[in-house]
Amino acid sequence: MNWNSPFMLTVGLPLLKIVILLGVVAFCVAYTVWLERRLLGFFQSRVGPNRVGPAGLIQPIADGLKLILKEDIIPTNARPFLFRIAPIFAVVPAFAGFAIVAFAPPAGPRASFLISDANIGILYLLAITSLGVFGIVLGGWASGSKYPLFGSLRSASQMLSYEVPLTFSVLSVILMAGSFRLDDIIQAQGKLPFLVPLILAFGVYVISAVAETNRAPFDLPEAESELVGGFHTEYSGMRFAFYFLAEYANVVLVCCVATSLFLGGYKIPFLPYETLLAGNPWLVSLIGLAVFAVKAVAFLYFYIWIRATFPRYRYDQLLKIGWKVLLPISLLNLLLVAGIKLAMLR
């Protein structure tokens, strides 16, 4: 097989990267569920999953097999075609967002851990992830039941409320770095005083990301005590698994993006990556990949900690936080960062 042929360089190698990335992301999503259940058990002084395999490590595989084998039920009042395809609209944007994440420094011109080195990477990410709400709204409406409909409407208004401050927090980072490429932003974090002006942006990003992924304490679209199960109440089998997969894929994506935008990505502070790459490119790439994974898992731990600590907000409180607290803070922070950037250019 000639890896230097035009077909392999333009089609074969990107497809191979996509298949590997999808497999790795699916594996990470499965064991994110396991990690969350174990940590919630620890936080709540109880035992998490511990029956299937040592420390419950095979539990995600057992859960996946159970969902595959379960009957796929379509309610009588549902719109069958839309009901069937709605979960796909939720899961595809969640996985597509990983295409522009720079997991490690490239070991060479063709040996990169990045699928698409797009100049408008952040713009693509914000656009593609905002499409996930269509799968939720479509699934809730197509179910033909009132509780899924209420949950989908909540999700749409919640997405609208928190998409704006999240975008402004990301714009602050873009303004400091001067680029939409995630790799450029990672490189800029070693050269510019990122930390001080972006502390507020990081706080807004964390809160908005929790709300965007419908996680506790902002899990109003799925509030079991109010809406049974929310927008996916009528789903079962693999279609329910798709929604579950989309939620946790978005959680992993949020952690990866936070690592790239605010935590330095694959870089270790004060380590001369450019010099090391020249001598040991593959070793440095693997170290960078490990550093990125450690930072993302640390952020994931914090994400789960939030779920275990805070009670669920009322819906009016959720909207008030988005529009009356986070939006003004993110706008003021953007103006502050613009002023700092202008002063640095003079």
Side-chain angles (χ1 to χ4, degrees), residues 19-54:
V19 170
I20 293 173
L21 180 63
L22 289 176
V24 171
V25 171
F27 176 84
C28 291
V29 166
Y31 280 91
T32 296
V33 179
W34 172 85
L35 179 65
E36 181 177 54
R37 293 176 68 184
R38 293 290 295 186
L39 286 176
L40 288 176
F42 170 75
F43 288 133
Q44 297 166 1
S45 299
R46 58 180 176 80
V47 180
N50 65 340
R51 297 286 182 179
V52 187

Side-chain angles (χ1 to χ4, degrees), residues 103-126:
F103 296 100
R110 295 172 188 167
S112 172
F113 290 88
L114 184 65
I115 290 179
S116 176
D117 192 13
N119 290 329
I120 55 168
I122 292 292
L123 188 61
Y124 160 82
L125 184 68
L126 292 173

